[in-house]
Amino acid sequence: MILICGAGAFGTALAVTLAQNGPVTLWARDAAHAAEMQAARENTRRLPGIDLPDAVTILSGPLPKGDTPCLLAMPMQTLRGFLSEHAETFARRTLVACCKGMDLTTGLGPTGLIAQSCPTATPAILTGPSFARDIALGLPTALTLACADEATGQMLQRVLTSPTLRLYRSTDTIGAELGGALKNVIAIACGAAIGAGLGESARAALMTRGFAEMNRLAATLGAQPQTLAGLSGFGDLALTCTSDQSRNYRYGLSIGQGATFDPTITVEGAATARAVLARAQALGLDMPITHAVTALVTGELRVAQAMDMLLSRPLKEE
């Protein structure tokens, strides 16, 4: 049995696809939300139009104990508090983070937070180019499953692969989580450029130079270069920077258009940009796109000013 903590769109989508392999428990923090899903056999709030298979059990309240793997499908900025709240239940358990970002308070990624809050647990991360509805509809999707413990990674790869969800295994948790976090920042930049009418060439330049920034920070923090070139880095960057299904891209579009964005929608890249910039500055790293995105999300700069800032930088070799 698999336990999924978090009944948002992605947690629900994972429950739907993994139910093809066996029983899945989908835990929701909100008891009323859990009751709605149980009655309708559908997550009408987050993933409407997708039936929940009979193999999916919906729970709220106390987390079930046991030694089965637990997938943490929740916003990055809520993960640290959730882990601290349930540290005793998660002791010596395998915890798979399914969120992308960097914690604002600690500057840590998901596996770092797991190691800090639940030191006896085995951390892993599931990340890569994917949209919840694609996974739930059974459209073919490939993700990275990273776990420093190779035996645990092999077990998770077997358990979490479904007929339409293919997982590639890695031991580089640092690279995998950085790819997922940093691409959201670049997606905001790309959305802002398109929203402001700066064109496809500007987007291509931001993706390319953004990828260079991603690699710069990842290498400094000990990631393997090939990880960022894979699904969790380049693959996720390509998807998130070019699709209207991406919340981070749509958020950037709204900034570029001067429009209001729905505040109830989680935009991981907004907080991550601030956390990444602080980490980069502490390390003495130059990350101009991340700097520009941080200024955009905090309202310090408008898109035209941010673009002028980037274009006026000293000329150099690629």
Side-chain angles (χ1 to χ4, degrees):
M1 185 187 77
I2 299 295
L3 171 64
I4 300 175
C5 294
F10 198 70
T12 303
L14 289 173
V16 170
T17 192
L18 294 177
Q20 297 176 82
N21 299 343
V24 176
T25 297
L26 180 62
W27 181 88
R29 182 183 292 274
D30 184 344
H33 187 199
E36 288 174 14
M37 287 190 290
Q38 183 59 46
R41 298 306 296 175
E42 177 185 342
N43 190 343
T44 54
R45 295 189 189 184
R46 301 298 184 189
L47 200 63
I50 304 293
D51 293 335
L52 293 174
D54 293 340
V56 176
T57 300
I58 302 159
L59 291 181
S60 63
L63 286 175
K65 297 182 179 180
D67 57 1
T68 55
C70 177
L71 277 59
L72 306 173
M74 59 194 62
M76 180 64 204
Q77 301 307 320
T78 67
L79 181 61
R80 184 168 58 93
F82 182 79
L83 289 169
S84 298
E85 181 183 352
H86 299 286
E88 184 177 343
T89 301
F90 289 147
R92 293 174 293 280
R93 201 158 184 172
T94 298
L95 302 179
V96 184
C98 302
C99 48
K100 301 171 182 179
M102 189 175 286
D103 181 58
L104 262 174
T105 302
T106 64
L108 296 172
T111 61
L113 288 181
I114 292 171
Q116 181 185 74
S117 301
C118 307
T120 63
T122 301
I125 184 166
L126 183 64
T127 184
S130 57
F131 292 130
R133 184 163 293 276
D134 289 354
I135 292 175
L137 289 172
L139 300 178
T141 305
L143 300 176
T144 296
L145 185 283
C147 182
D149 184 273
E150 190 162 3
T152 302
Q154 291 174 348
M155 177 273 291
L156 289 171
Q157 186 181 37
R158 292 192 300 270
V159 170
L160 302 179
T161 292
S162 78
T164 55
L165 180 62
R166 180 177 176 84
L167 304 187
Y168 287 83
R169 193 176 68 255
S170 172
T171 57
D172 182 13
T173 56
I174 295 174
E177 68 182 16
L178 283 174
L182 298 173
K183 60 87 185 179
N184 282 335
V185 179
I186 309 306
I188 293 175
C190 289
I194 295 299
L198 300 181
E200 297 290 349
S201 298
R203 170 161 52 186
L206 287 167
M207 289 177 65
T208 306
R209 297 311 304 163
F211 189 56
E213 284 192 20
M214 291 168 60
N215 279 279
R216 194 177 306 141
L217 179 61
T220 302
L221 296 178
Q224 299 168 10
Q226 62 266 33
T227 305
L228 270 293
L231 290 164
S232 60
F234 177 76
D236 214 355
L237 178 73
L239 179 69
T240 311
C241 291
T242 59
S243 174
D244 287 344
Q245 290 190 65
S246 164
R247 292 169 295 181
N248 292 278
Y249 177 73
R250 293 202 313 273
Y251 176 68
L253 277 175
S254 72
I255 292 175
Q257 295 166 347
T260 301
F261 192 76
D262 185 350
T264 66
I265 297 176
T266 300
V267 181
E268 297 284 22
T272 295
R274 294 158 57 198
V276 169
L277 182 62
R279 190 79 179 270
Q281 289 174 335
L283 293 168
L285 293 178
D286 185 28
M287 298 187 69
I289 297 175
T290 301
H291 189 181
V293 170
T294 301
L296 287 174
V297 302
T298 57
E300 297 174 33
L301 291 179
R302 296 188 300 274
V303 174
Q305 294 170 312
M307 190 55 63
D308 286 344
M309 182 182 76
L310 292 174
L311 291 176
S312 63
R313 286 171 51 81
L315 299 176
K316 62 176 186 177
E317 291 184 342
E318 187 170 22

